[in-house]
Amino acid sequence: MAYTMTPTPAGPVGSQYCVCKVELSVCGQNLLDRDVTSKSDPFCVLFMEVNGKWVELDRTETAVNNLNPAFAKKFIIDYHFEEVQKLKFALFDQDKSSMQLYEHDFLGEFSCTLGMIVSSKKITRTLLLGNGKPAGKGMITIAAQELSDNRVITLSMAGRKLDKKDLFGKSDPFLEFYKPGDDGKWMLVHRTEHPSVFTLHVIKYTLDPVWKPFTVPLVSLCDGDVEKLIKVVCYDYDSDGGHDFIGEFQTSVARMCEAQDAFPLEMECINPKKQKKKKNYKNSGIIIVNSCKITRDFSFLDYILGGCQLMFTVGIDFTASNGNPRDPSSLHYISPMGTNEYLSAIWAVGQIIQDYDSDKMFPALGFGAQLPPDWKVSHEFAINFNPTNPFCSGVEGIVQAYSACLPHIRFYGPTNFSPIINHVARFASQATQQEAAS
């Protein structure tokens, strides 16, 4: 299996180009047991096919000692309905603290298109080995949800007098949040610790934890319905994956939003088994919501649709280190096809940016050259030789000014582009005084 970690190329961007984001949740069932003295420690890696090669997009956390993992880490993907987006979900048993996948035991994989998952909302399929045969009884379940609601919820939580679970020390508590799935079963959506691929960071040795504030998409936590019940479960972390249950409770986002900075919300953490056995049982501790705030996580497209304009300023290096523009080895050499490295860069960036600028008038400045008629070195000159109006009309205007400028200047030095940065900073400072978004 040839896996790469090449960054995924960005798709086209423009005023007519919009995508929606899809959240993928992954669970595994009956995975192969590759460990001798314990169970496998699986994690899932998501790949996308790009130009005929599988490119890694993301990884889940590692589920310690678990053959039926429900991964808290979600995969977020841009969904292009007009494209066939091929995905591969590969599961591995973590054996070493290494990012190299060949260092870990392969547990099976499943390939499909994103469209297949989205159209079904939830699919369960057999995991396959590299030879195409089933990976034992291993299965994978993938659920899709569109992230059209861009609200996020930020929670600040703590605990008080939680049950002690460790024999020679206090508990190492963490919380898990669940929402009801379409099948009526509770679905894991978040853990209070922030898991990476190979480590879990928990609050150590305390019965009165204060968890780090965290932010999750509201649609992930409760499908955007603040009245929907969610379940919060408290565990004592164990390094072998056998986390001890402390207690649980059910609430809703609307209920948690009653918490204010000066008036925290307290909820009893209940262990049902203890509650049945002990007549005088009250709770297994208190979970405190110190604050709960819902805000909008504005996307780039939100800003654009709201009237935000992007100003595009071009700075061109005319220092002698670029070589003689008449020499084919120079970056400024214009080929018989009428192109060079600088023109290619200007076209590549400019064609995208110009969609977000209403007047399409772009300042184009140069530095590091001697200018006629006195041949003094300048590090901030208009390439159209109009210092009072350095603007060029569209990308075509920049290209024309650049091509006309080349024969009339002498490359010199040093490489000093701070004057151009300061020039742009002055433009930005003026823009902050405008009432319209910019």
Side-chain angles (χ1 to χ4, degrees):
M1 294 174 292
Y3 294 114
T4 67
M5 296 184 67
T6 308
T8 304
V13 178
S15 57
Q16 304 300 318
Y17 191 84
C18 294
V19 298
C20 62
K21 290 190 179 294
V22 174
E23 177 188 80
L24 302 180
S25 301
V26 179
C27 299
Q29 301 89 36
N30 303 315
L31 302 183
L32 290 173
D33 191 355
R34 297 294 195 186
D35 293 344
V36 178
T37 58
S38 62
K39 297 176 182 178
S40 293
D41 306 319
F43 64 94
C44 182
V45 185
L46 174 62
F47 299 88
M48 177 179 285
E49 188 177 75
V50 179
N51 298 326
K53 295 182 179 180
W54 290 111
V55 176
E56 179 177 339
L57 297 185
D58 206 352
R59 301 184 183 190
T60 67
E61 77 278 13
T62 297
V64 179
N65 201 23
N66 193 339
L67 301 183
N68 299 282
F71 298 108
K73 172 69 177 290
K74 311 299 179 185
F75 295 128
I76 308 296
I77 302 179
D78 287 338
Y79 172 54
H80 308 262
F81 71 91
E82 76 281 7
E83 296 180 12
V84 177
Q85 295 173 270
K86 294 183 179 180
L87 304 178
K88 179 184 288 185
F89 299 82
L91 288 106
F92 296 85
D93 171 25
Q94 181 212 322
D95 285 330
K96 301 177 181 179
S97 297
S98 171
M99 294 297 292
Q100 301 300 323
L101 294 178
Y102 64 81
E103 298 275 4
H104 310 285
D105 292 325
F106 180 58
L107 299 178
E109 64 185 19
F110 167 66
S111 300
C112 65
T113 64
L114 180 57
M116 182 189 303
I117 303 173
V118 171
S119 61
S120 303
K121 292 190 70 175
K122 187 176 184 179
I123 61 174
T124 299
R125 295 290 187 272
T126 300
L127 288 169
L128 301 177
L129 298 174
N131 57 11
K133 294 182 179 180
K137 297 181 179 180
M139 307 286 287
I140 187 171
T141 298
I142 308 161
Q145 181 168 339
E146 181 181 352
L147 296 178
S148 56
D149 186 339
N150 62 359
R151 291 176 296 170
V152 296
I153 180 171
T154 300
L155 285 162
S156 176
M157 303 185 70
R160 186 174 71 243
K161 296 182 178 179
L162 299 178
D163 281 357
K164 178 181 176 182
K165 291 293 182 179
D166 293 342
L167 184 60
F168 298 106
K170 297 180 180 179
S171 297
D172 309 320
F174 66 94
L175 300 177
E176 289 188 342
F177 291 76
Y178 294 81
K179 69 179 179 182
D182 294 336
D183 55 3
K185 296 180 180 179
W186 290 105
M187 178 180 177
L188 175 65
V189 294
H190 185 74
R191 290 192 183 101
T192 51
E193 77 275 16
H194 300 274
S196 65
V197 177
F198 299 112
T199 60
L200 287 173
H201 302 291
V202 298
I203 299 175
K204 295 286 189 179
Y205 316 126
T206 180
L207 302 180
D208 302 295
V210 178
W211 290 286
K212 183 179 179 180
F214 61 92
T215 299
V216 294
L218 193 64
V219 69
S220 297
L221 187 62
C222 62
D223 297 325
D225 181 358
V226 297
E227 300 294 342
K228 175 176 284 191
L229 281 179
I230 59 176
K231 183 169 70 171
V232 183
V233 184
C234 185
Y235 288 100
D236 169 32
Y237 174 81
D238 284 333
S239 59
D240 64 1
H243 311 308
D244 296 320
F245 175 75
I246 294 177
E248 64 185 25
F249 63 91
Q250 293 185 20
T251 184
S252 67
V253 170
R255 174 79 171 122
M256 291 192 293
C257 282
E258 295 175 9
Q260 303 294 331
D261 291 334
F263 302 98
L265 177 68
E266 297 188 355
M267 287 168 283
E268 292 185 310
C269 193
I270 302 299
N271 185 325
K273 291 184 178 180
K274 286 189 175 183
Q275 192 176 42
K276 287 182 180 180
K277 291 181 179 180
K278 299 180 180 180
K279 291 184 179 181
N280 60 346
Y281 175 81
K282 291 185 178 181
N283 56 58
S284 293
I286 301 295
I287 300 298
I288 305 164
V289 181
N290 288 317
S291 68
C292 175
K293 297 178 181 178
I294 297 175
T295 56
R296 287 191 67 189
D297 186 15
F298 292 103
S299 67
F300 172 76
L301 191 57
D302 285 325
Y303 284 100
I304 297 301
L305 295 177
C308 182
Q309 296 282 304
L310 301 184
M311 293 184 66
F312 175 46
T313 301
V314 175
I316 301 177
D317 181 358
F318 289 112
T319 59
S321 60
N322 284 275
N324 190 327
R326 297 179 181 84
D327 189 329
S329 64
S330 171
L331 296 176
H332 284 287
Y333 174 77
I334 298 180
S335 72
M337 301 296 293
T339 62
N340 65 18
E341 295 294 332
Y342 278 90
L343 287 173
S344 297
I346 290 170
W347 274 112
V349 178
Q351 283 184 313
I352 295 173
I353 296 295
Q354 68 178 355
D355 284 339
Y356 305 102
D357 190 306
S358 57
D359 64 8
K360 294 178 173 52
M361 297 297 293
F362 307 120
L365 307 172
F367 66 91
Q370 293 176 320
L371 306 183
D374 54 7
W375 302 109
K376 289 184 178 181
V377 178
S378 175
H379 296 293
E380 182 188 353
F381 65 92
I383 65 172
N384 63 3
F385 296 114
N386 186 345
T388 61
N389 184 16
F391 292 86
C392 300
S393 179
V395 182
E396 296 85 354
I398 299 174
V399 171
Q400 291 171 4
Y402 167 76
S403 300
C405 169
L406 271 179
H408 300 289
I409 62 174
R410 296 174 182 172
F411 287 17
Y412 204 71
T415 303
N416 179 13
F417 45 81
S418 62
I420 290 182
I421 293 177
N422 291 330
H423 181 106
V424 175
R426 289 194 295 273
F427 270 113
S429 178
Q430 294 171 7
T432 61
Q433 307 305 315
Q434 302 174 6
E435 293 185 3
S438 58

